[in-house]
mmCIF file of all heavy atoms in Angstrom:
data_model
loop_
_atom_site.group_PDB
_atom_site.id
_atom_site.type_symbol
_atom_site.label_atom_id
_atom_site.label_comp_id
_atom_site.label_asym_id
_atom_site.label_seq_id
_atom_site.Cartn_x
_atom_site.Cartn_y
_atom_site.Cartn_z
ATOM 1 N N MET Z 57 5.781 1.362 -4.570
ATOM 2 C CA MET Z 57 6.636 2.232 -3.745
ATOM 3 C C MET Z 57 8.085 1.951 -4.172
ATOM 4 O O MET Z 57 8.554 0.830 -4.038
ATOM 5 C CB MET Z 57 6.409 1.951 -2.257
ATOM 6 C CG MET Z 57 4.967 2.198 -1.835
ATOM 7 S SD MET Z 57 4.661 1.828 -0.086
ATOM 8 C CE MET Z 57 5.542 3.188 0.685
ATOM 9 N N ASN Z 58 8.767 3.000 -4.698
ATOM 10 C CA ASN Z 58 10.102 2.764 -5.242
ATOM 11 C C ASN Z 58 11.065 3.920 -4.991
ATOM 12 O O ASN Z 58 12.020 4.093 -5.728
ATOM 13 C CB ASN Z 58 10.005 2.475 -6.750
ATOM 14 C CG ASN Z 58 9.330 3.600 -7.519
ATOM 15 O OD1 ASN Z 58 9.033 4.650 -6.948
ATOM 16 N ND2 ASN Z 58 9.085 3.389 -8.776
ATOM 17 N N LYS Z 59 10.822 4.666 -3.904
ATOM 18 C CA LYS Z 59 11.726 5.759 -3.548
ATOM 19 C C LYS Z 59 12.258 5.513 -2.119
ATOM 20 O O LYS Z 59 11.479 5.201 -1.234
ATOM 21 C CB LYS Z 59 10.991 7.107 -3.597
ATOM 22 C CG LYS Z 59 10.505 7.448 -5.004
ATOM 23 C CD LYS Z 59 9.741 8.765 -4.948
ATOM 24 C CE LYS Z 59 9.175 9.099 -6.284
ATOM 25 N NZ LYS Z 59 7.870 8.495 -6.525
ATOM 26 N N ASN Z 60 13.550 5.705 -1.932
ATOM 27 C CA ASN Z 60 14.113 5.551 -0.607
ATOM 28 C C ASN Z 60 13.442 6.524 0.378
ATOM 29 O O ASN Z 60 13.085 7.638 0.014
ATOM 30 C CB ASN Z 60 15.619 5.840 -0.631
ATOM 31 C CG ASN Z 60 16.396 4.697 -1.246
ATOM 32 O OD1 ASN Z 60 15.877 3.601 -1.409
ATOM 33 N ND2 ASN Z 60 17.624 4.949 -1.614
ATOM 34 N N LYS Z 61 13.238 6.065 1.592
ATOM 35 C CA LYS Z 61 12.604 6.792 2.705
ATOM 36 C C LYS Z 61 11.127 7.086 2.441
ATOM 37 O O LYS Z 61 10.512 7.852 3.148
ATOM 38 C CB LYS Z 61 13.326 8.122 2.975
ATOM 39 C CG LYS Z 61 14.785 7.974 3.346
ATOM 40 C CD LYS Z 61 15.367 9.336 3.641
ATOM 41 C CE LYS Z 61 16.849 9.283 3.866
ATOM 42 N NZ LYS Z 61 17.441 10.576 4.128
ATOM 43 N N GLN Z 62 10.539 6.444 1.445
ATOM 44 C CA GLN Z 62 9.129 6.687 1.120
ATOM 45 C C GLN Z 62 8.237 6.127 2.194
ATOM 46 O O GLN Z 62 8.489 5.092 2.810
ATOM 47 C CB GLN Z 62 8.805 6.044 -0.233
ATOM 48 C CG GLN Z 62 7.437 6.355 -0.751
ATOM 49 C CD GLN Z 62 7.216 5.793 -2.160
ATOM 50 O OE1 GLN Z 62 8.068 5.108 -2.714
ATOM 51 N NE2 GLN Z 62 6.077 6.115 -2.739
ATOM 52 N N SER Z 63 7.138 6.844 2.421
ATOM 53 C CA SER Z 63 6.092 6.400 3.352
ATOM 54 C C SER Z 63 4.767 6.665 2.681
ATOM 55 O O SER Z 63 4.599 7.680 2.012
ATOM 56 C CB SER Z 63 6.212 7.201 4.654
ATOM 57 O OG SER Z 63 5.166 6.823 5.542
ATOM 58 N N ALA Z 64 3.816 5.747 2.834
ATOM 59 C CA ALA Z 64 2.507 5.942 2.219
ATOM 60 C C ALA Z 64 1.411 5.488 3.177
ATOM 61 O O ALA Z 64 1.557 4.482 3.873
ATOM 62 C CB ALA Z 64 2.411 5.153 0.921
ATOM 63 N N ASP Z 65 0.360 6.301 3.233
ATOM 64 C CA ASP Z 65 -0.831 5.955 3.991
ATOM 65 C C ASP Z 65 -1.916 5.551 2.998
ATOM 66 O O ASP Z 65 -2.195 6.255 2.040
ATOM 67 C CB ASP Z 65 -1.344 7.174 4.804
ATOM 68 C CG ASP Z 65 -0.450 7.510 5.951
ATOM 69 O OD1 ASP Z 65 0.218 6.605 6.489
ATOM 70 O OD2 ASP Z 65 -0.419 8.680 6.340
ATOM 71 N N PHE Z 66 -2.538 4.422 3.255
ATOM 72 C CA PHE Z 66 -3.629 3.890 2.424
ATOM 73 C C PHE Z 66 -4.907 3.972 3.222
ATOM 74 O O PHE Z 66 -5.006 3.373 4.309
ATOM 75 C CB PHE Z 66 -3.332 2.443 2.020
ATOM 76 C CG PHE Z 66 -2.071 2.325 1.202
ATOM 77 C CD1 PHE Z 66 -0.846 2.201 1.802
ATOM 78 C CD2 PHE Z 66 -2.139 2.358 -0.193
ATOM 79 C CE1 PHE Z 66 0.306 2.108 1.049
ATOM 80 C CE2 PHE Z 66 -0.988 2.286 -0.953
ATOM 81 C CZ PHE Z 66 0.254 2.167 -0.339
ATOM 82 N N LEU Z 67 -5.891 4.705 2.722
ATOM 83 C CA LEU Z 67 -7.145 4.930 3.404
ATOM 84 C C LEU Z 67 -8.277 4.262 2.676
ATOM 85 O O LEU Z 67 -8.460 4.511 1.448
ATOM 86 C CB LEU Z 67 -7.439 6.452 3.514
ATOM 87 C CG LEU Z 67 -8.793 6.853 4.088
ATOM 88 C CD1 LEU Z 67 -8.923 6.401 5.539
ATOM 89 C CD2 LEU Z 67 -9.001 8.365 3.947
ATOM 90 N N PHE Z 68 -9.023 3.404 3.341
ATOM 91 C CA PHE Z 68 -10.155 2.719 2.721
ATOM 92 C C PHE Z 68 -11.410 3.587 2.892
ATOM 93 O O PHE Z 68 -11.830 3.910 3.988
ATOM 94 C CB PHE Z 68 -10.377 1.370 3.392
ATOM 95 C CG PHE Z 68 -11.528 0.585 2.826
ATOM 96 C CD1 PHE Z 68 -11.533 0.198 1.504
ATOM 97 C CD2 PHE Z 68 -12.616 0.240 3.615
ATOM 98 C CE1 PHE Z 68 -12.586 -0.525 0.958
ATOM 99 C CE2 PHE Z 68 -13.669 -0.487 3.097
ATOM 100 C CZ PHE Z 68 -13.648 -0.851 1.764
#
Side-chain angles (χ1 to χ4, degrees):
M57 299 179 71
N58 58 6
K59 297 178 184 87
N60 286 345
K61 302 181 186 179
Q62 187 174 4
S63 178
D65 289 332
F66 298 86
L67 174 65
F68 180 61

